[in-house]
Amino acid sequence: IIALFWGGIMVTLRKCLAALAISVVFAGPVLADPSEDATNGFNAETKGDFATALRLYRLSALAGNPYGQGNLANMLRAGRGTPKDLPEALRWYNKAAEQNFPDSQYNLGNMYELGEGVKQDFAKAFEWYRKGAEQGYVPAESALGTMYAAGNGVKQPDLVQAYFWYSLAAAGKDPMATRRMGTLGQRLKPEEKAKAEQMAKD
């Protein structure tokens, strides 16, 4: 009776262990954190390991991480570790930009401004630059200043707004914005320059 009792326990135990093993097999590996994949992808890219960077960025991007999406778009746009694919780069920039990732908002604006992989559209370029600039992203601030100065994406040039955005970018240590602000300041009336400076101060 004792032997049968222990035999029954051992059979039950073996069944439980078998079931556990099957569940582990079908559960698969634990997925990595998308932000960790993106960070590791960046580290690989800085070391010149573009294949690894591309793989990790893609994993992160597919999981919805905007940093991974934006960096994947950068590689597709430049053709690093993969053939250049501008429509696909535009698609991933758009996904990241919709999540308020300012770097991708700037790059998406830049592609629309240049007509790179898409029909040139100053209005859309202006829209995306502004979204990035309003988050304090320095390259977008500088680009928005240029759009205002040239009258691209707006009804007419607005030098006060241009000076305002250049001054913000200059405060962010953008040397080109600093030079353009200096040149533009010579074209403004004293009261216009004072208005732009007050806007920047505010």
Side-chain angles (χ1 to χ4, degrees):
I1 292 173
I2 293 174
L4 289 172
F5 175 74
W6 282 107
I9 290 177
M10 294 304 293
V11 169
T12 302
L13 183 60
R14 283 195 294 271
K15 287 181 179 179
C16 289
L17 290 172
L20 179 62
I22 291 171
S23 68
V24 169
V25 169
F26 282 95
V30 177
L31 295 177
D33 181 351
S35 61
E36 185 178 340
D37 280 336
T39 300
N40 291 336
F42 179 77
N43 292 335
E45 185 181 1
T46 56
K47 294 175 183 176
D49 186 355
F50 296 149
T52 298
L54 189 70
R55 178 177 61 82
L56 291 172
Y57 284 152
R58 193 175 295 279
L59 285 173
S60 180
L62 289 170
N65 182 271
Y67 182 67
Q69 291 169 343
N71 281 286
L72 175 60
N74 289 339
M75 295 194 76
L76 290 165
R77 185 181 183 185
R80 285 198 302 275
T82 181
K84 184 180 290 190
D85 190 336
L86 296 180
E88 189 70 357
L90 192 80
R91 185 172 78 88
W92 285 112
Y93 277 141
N94 194 75
K95 286 181 177 293
E98 290 289 354
Q99 295 192 68
N100 290 321
F101 188 50
D103 181 74
S104 289
Q105 290 172 334
Y106 164 75
N107 281 305
L108 192 56
N110 188 243
M111 290 187 78
Y112 275 113
E113 182 184 10
L114 299 176
E116 186 179 351
V118 68
K119 184 179 179 181
Q120 189 176 52
D121 189 329
F122 289 138
K124 285 187 177 181
F126 181 90
E127 175 189 348
W128 286 114
Y129 282 151
R130 189 173 188 92
K131 287 179 183 292
E134 287 176 344
Q135 294 193 70
Y137 190 64
V138 172
E141 291 173 342
S142 183
L144 191 61
T146 299
M147 297 288 280
Y148 271 116
N152 291 334
V154 290
K155 292 181 179 180
Q156 60 186 20
D158 188 331
L159 301 188
V160 171
Q161 283 287 335
Y163 189 92
F164 162 66
W165 286 108
Y166 279 147
S167 64
L168 293 185
K173 310 300 182 185
D174 185 321
M176 183 179 294
T178 302
R179 291 194 298 271
R180 290 178 175 175
M181 184 180 69
T183 302
L184 192 58
Q186 298 174 11
R187 299 171 55 191
L188 291 174
K189 298 176 182 178
E191 60 272 21
E192 291 176 328
K193 186 176 179 181
K195 179 183 177 180
E197 289 174 345
Q198 185 62 49
M199 288 165 58
K201 183 179 178 181
D202 292 343

